[in-house]
Amino acid sequence: IIRLEKVTKIYKMGDIEVKALDELDFTMEEGDFVAVMGASGSGKSTLMNILGCLDLPTEGEYFLDEKSVGKMKKDELARLRNAKLGFIFQNFNLLPRTTALDNIELPLLYASGITRRERHEKARNSLELVSLSDRHKHHPNQLSGGQQQRVAIARALVTDPLVILADEPTGNLDTATSKDIMNIFKSLNNSGKTILLVTHETDIAAYAKRKILLRDGKIIQDTQSRKN
Amino acid sequence: IIRLEKVTKIYKMGDIEVKALDELDFTMEEGDFVAVMGASGSGKSTLMNILGCLDLPTEGEYFLDEKSVGKMKKDELARLRNAKLGFIFQNFNLLPRTTALDNIELPLLYASGITRRERHEKARNSLELVSLSDRHKHHPNQLSGGQQQRVAIARALVTDPLVILADEPTGNLDTATSKDIMNIFKSLNNSGKTILLVTHETDIAAYAKRKILLRDGKIIQDTQSRKN
Ligand SMILES: Nc1ncnc2c1ncn2[C@@H]1O[C@H](COP(=O)(O)OP(=O)(O)OP(=O)(O)O)[C@@H](O)[C@H]1O
Ligand SMILES: Nc1ncnc2c1ncn2[C@@H]1O[C@H](COP(=O)(O)OP(=O)(O)OP(=O)(O)O)[C@@H](O)[C@H]1O
Ligand SMILES: [Mg+2]
Ligand SMILES: [Mg+2]
């Protein structure tokens, strides 16, 4: 469902160049549950942004559902991304002057064929799933760090995506709340969803079926290929 | 050095009220190293914001260095805060269109009697301390999540504060980088600095000498008072 071939990403800032991904190869099948680990600055978010079609590689190919993302037109890419992917950002990326419920409804505005009433209901169910129903009217700056993170998780799940890309989804959550969220991911994976999760916490990575380790933009360990 | 007496904080949003802190009593001596834990939404950041003089309690008293913060004039409070406290925010709070180095220098602009050259040198040393010297020209959006967090840590330490308030300082850092940061805090505490650290990770809390547990705005456990 996801295939990266020799993907390189170089950020250019004036005269400085930073190579964040270095000829990276990576394949995921439908129903996989992969944890991505690695040091701060090793390229995890850069990898997620490319997989989430939020950024383009400098070199190399990305195939989503066997279609080459690099060769797609912009609106076709946006449609595919919105229909298939749910993305949880490391910094939440919630709209500041918008309620928690409206933030969660946002991805549904781009989906065709959903009535306003269905949108509200799906958003309320998603908010209920992360135990924040009583905060539906709050704006992000009226929520704690972990509550904002859970709104971001609810937003990513509201479109019932096939592939969930989560960048450090438990970074601001206490142990008990983290377990609730990981159990949500686990049950989604059991029902056939594909999940890719960046984390620096080994007990969070333990929920995944496969672990990869990034260093300096390359995959240096992959529990799947080594069969260990 | 820090004393809270019956501190209550109620956020009012229209017709909704949220009691984030509930008649909380808390005392810290100079040289203490305290970890604050608790579920998402339990009031940890609210407590930090009041201790960091960034917000006022709704009820109760806060004494910093035996002076009542509630009774101080605004500029006296700002001077005391800038001279004594270093604050690391849960969401970093870096200036977006500013380099890493300039972000770190910012607190020094408010300190009297420091030359421009000393400011640069102190900022460079602080950036070196968190191993990000090669990123000094980057803006926050050109840095990874964990790198931004380390710039926020460097900024809090550049004024050599007596009291360091850190809200989830390792939330975005891998294990090795987290250890580096915790060892910096440990050596600062060994040299007499007072440290209060919010964390949801027990292995991070293990670096502290005293642990308190918040639930619904109250301290329900304190390793110091129980002598365990
Ligand atoms: N500005 C605000 N306006 C309204 N409610 C707020 C505001 N800030 C926090 N709250 C509420 O107060 C409660 C405590 O929030 P606080 O940020 O202190 O929690 P926390 O323990 O830091 O949580 P986390 O671990 O998720 O960061 C939460 O329920 C939150 O919704
Ligand atoms: N927009 C950008 N412009 C320039 N450099 C960038 C940009 N984004 C990231 N980088 C650099 O690319 C490298 C990889 O960044 P990335 O955000 O992918 O790391 P990460 O593994 O997610 O780190 P963390 O665990 O700290 O979130 C870092 O060294 C960073 O400084
Ligand atoms: Mg990242
Ligand atoms: Mg908080």
Side-chain angles (χ1 to χ4, degrees), chain B residues 117-179:
Chain B
R117 210 168 139 190
E118 283 168 346
R119 239 178 29 222
H120 279 352
E121 200 185 326
K122 280 175 185 284
R124 277 188 187 280
N125 289 344
S126 210
L127 195 56
E128 172 70 29
L129 185 66
V130 296
S131 310
L132 278 178
S133 296
D134 58 338
R135 296 267 184 257
H136 62 98
K137 270 193 196 165
H138 285 224
H139 289 202
N141 68 346
Q142 295 171 334
L143 293 172
S144 79
Q147 290 168 341
Q148 293 175 40
Q149 186 148 46
R150 285 184 281 163
V151 170
I153 292 166
R155 180 182 61 185
L157 303 181
V158 77
T159 53
D160 200 19
L162 282 178
V163 179
I164 296 158
L165 302 172
D167 196 344
E168 298 276 1
T170 61
N172 283 278
L173 300 178
D174 59 282
T175 310
T177 313
S178 292
K179 271 187 193 145

Side-chain angles (χ1 to χ4, degrees), chain A residues 40 90 171-174 200, chain B residues 40 90 142 171-174 200:
Chain A
S40 172
Q90 188 170 5
N172 282 278
L173 301 178
D174 59 282
H200 64 275
Chain B
S40 172
Q90 187 170 5
Q142 295 171 334
N172 283 278
L173 300 178
D174 59 282
H200 65 274

Side-chain angles (χ1 to χ4, degrees), chain B residues 199-212:
Chain B
T199 183
H200 65 274
E201 298 177 69
T202 40
D203 43 358
I204 298 296
Y207 284 85
K209 292 175 192 161
R210 175 183 167 198
K211 298 176 194 70
I212 67 172

Side-chain angles (χ1 to χ4, degrees), chain A residues 26-206:
Chain A
F26 177 61
T27 301
M28 265 178 95
E29 306 299 328
E30 217 165 324
D32 269 2
F33 191 165
V34 182
V36 180
M37 305 190 77
S40 172
S42 57
K44 304 181 297 294
S45 294
T46 302
L47 172 63
M48 293 298 263
N49 291 343
I50 287 171
L51 290 176
C53 303
L54 298 162
D55 199 1
L56 288 174
T58 311
E59 290 164 31
E61 291 276 335
Y62 170 27
F63 297 93
L64 177 58
D65 246 8
E66 299 302 332
K67 294 181 196 76
S68 163
V69 165
K71 295 193 176 58
M72 271 186 216
K73 288 202 185 59
K74 255 200 166 161
D75 53 350
E76 188 190 352
L77 182 61
R79 243 195 341 266
L80 183 69
R81 182 175 75 207
N82 209 52
K84 304 251 177 188
L85 303 179
F87 203 102
I88 300 164
F89 293 86
Q90 188 170 5
N91 62 353
F92 320 146
N93 252 358
L94 299 175
L95 293 185
R97 279 169 287 285
T98 308
T99 65
L101 198 67
D102 287 350
N103 260 291
I104 292 168
E105 270 189 44
L106 201 64
L108 294 172
L109 294 178
Y110 299 104
S112 49
I114 296 185
T115 67
R116 195 158 166 237
R117 209 169 139 189
E118 283 167 343
R119 240 179 26 224
H120 278 350
E121 200 183 328
K122 280 174 186 286
R124 276 188 187 279
N125 290 343
S126 209
L127 194 56
E128 172 73 29
L129 185 66
V130 297
S131 310
L132 279 177
S133 296
D134 58 338
R135 296 267 184 258
H136 62 97
K137 270 193 198 166
H138 286 225
H139 289 200
N141 68 347
Q142 296 171 333
L143 293 171
S144 79
Q147 291 168 339
Q148 292 175 39
Q149 186 149 45
R150 284 183 282 164
V151 171
I153 292 166
R155 180 182 61 185
L157 303 182
V158 76
T159 53
D160 200 19
L162 282 177
V163 179
I164 297 160
L165 302 172
D167 196 344
E168 297 276 1
T170 61
N172 282 278
L173 301 178
D174 59 282
T175 310
T177 313
S178 291
K179 270 187 194 146
D180 295 345
I181 296 298
M182 290 317 293
N183 284 329
I184 293 172
F185 286 141
K186 215 169 153 186
S187 63
L188 287 168
N189 182 246
N190 288 340
S191 71
K193 308 293 183 195
T194 308
I195 300 182
L196 185 72
L197 184 94
V198 167
T199 183
H200 64 275
E201 298 178 70
T202 40
D203 44 358
I204 298 297

